[in-house]
Amino acid sequence: QYMEQIELMRENEMDIASEFLEMASRLVYIKSAMLLPKYEDEAEDLKKELTGQLIEYQQCREIARMLAPMVDFDTFTKTPSKVEFDLTYNRIHDPMDISAAYVSAVGRGQRKLPPDRSAFAGIVSKKIVSVSSRIIHVMRRLWHGRTVTYKELFEAGSGRSELVATFLAVLELVKGKRVRIEGDGDEAIVHMIEK
């Protein structure tokens, strides 16, 4: 229904209809003002205004009719004109502004540089221990049916990275059913599972 109304409005050309209604209401207002003696002066002014607009409209139409054969927008083209640009920098700046801009630019440049090696000292300088190396270490300790306490596996650890890797290695071995942990706390014993 909405689309039907849109099509109907297009067919009726609502812009033209609205202009027609506006002009009709204006004429009715002028006519009613002319009939009332109280508003005769106002009606005369409105009539003169409307007459002037109609004369102006008629003159515009006449001029447009005369100019129409002379102008053809499809045939007249203008090639772009070459413009020489003056690239000389002519502005004058306060020396302090230039100094501040330089300091700011240098600071931005330094921020884009990679960080100094000392920034990574806490990460890179520490020994990185892989979980696979600790799995091999635990399996060697348990070779030939030996048993060790859970606590003994961590006694030789020299750093946090090695301790964490050992813990993860024991978890992987338990998950893979290669070792078993029996007992609780410090008394827990780790031994290999016979296959």
Side-chain angles (χ1 to χ4, degrees), residues 99-166:
S99 173
Y102 173 74
V103 169
S104 175
V106 168
R108 279 199 302 274
Q110 285 181 347
R111 283 198 299 273
K112 289 182 181 177
L113 291 174
D116 191 49
R117 192 174 267 229
S118 61
F120 299 103
I123 303 168
V124 178
S125 64
K126 296 200 178 193
K127 181 180 173 186
I128 297 172
V129 181
S130 68
V131 175
S132 58
S133 69
R134 296 312 289 171
I135 287 174
I136 293 167
H137 171 75
V138 171
M139 291 301 288
R140 281 186 182 159
R141 295 279 308 265
L142 299 172
W143 195 249
H144 295 302
R146 282 186 283 182
T147 60
V148 293
T149 62
Y150 185 72
K151 189 176 181 183
E152 283 177 40
L153 295 174
F154 296 95
E155 285 175 353
S158 59
R160 184 183 297 171
S161 178
E162 193 169 331
L163 293 173
V164 170
T166 304

Side-chain angles (χ1 to χ4, degrees), residues 76-109:
F76 291 106
T77 58
K78 181 183 180 302
T79 56
S81 53
K82 293 183 179 179
V83 178
E84 295 291 329
F85 294 101
D86 183 15
L87 301 176
T88 310
Y89 193 79
N90 296 322
R91 290 186 146 186
I92 299 170
H93 296 279
D94 183 21
M96 293 308 293
D97 291 344
I98 295 172
S99 173
Y102 173 74
V103 169
S104 175
V106 168
R108 279 199 302 274

Side-chain angles (χ1 to χ4, degrees), residues 30 33-34 39-49:
I30 292 171
M34 288 174 69
Y39 297 104
E40 279 185 17
D41 294 337
E42 183 184 352
E44 197 60 39
D45 292 341
L46 290 170
K47 189 176 176 184
K48 285 179 184 176
E49 181 184 347

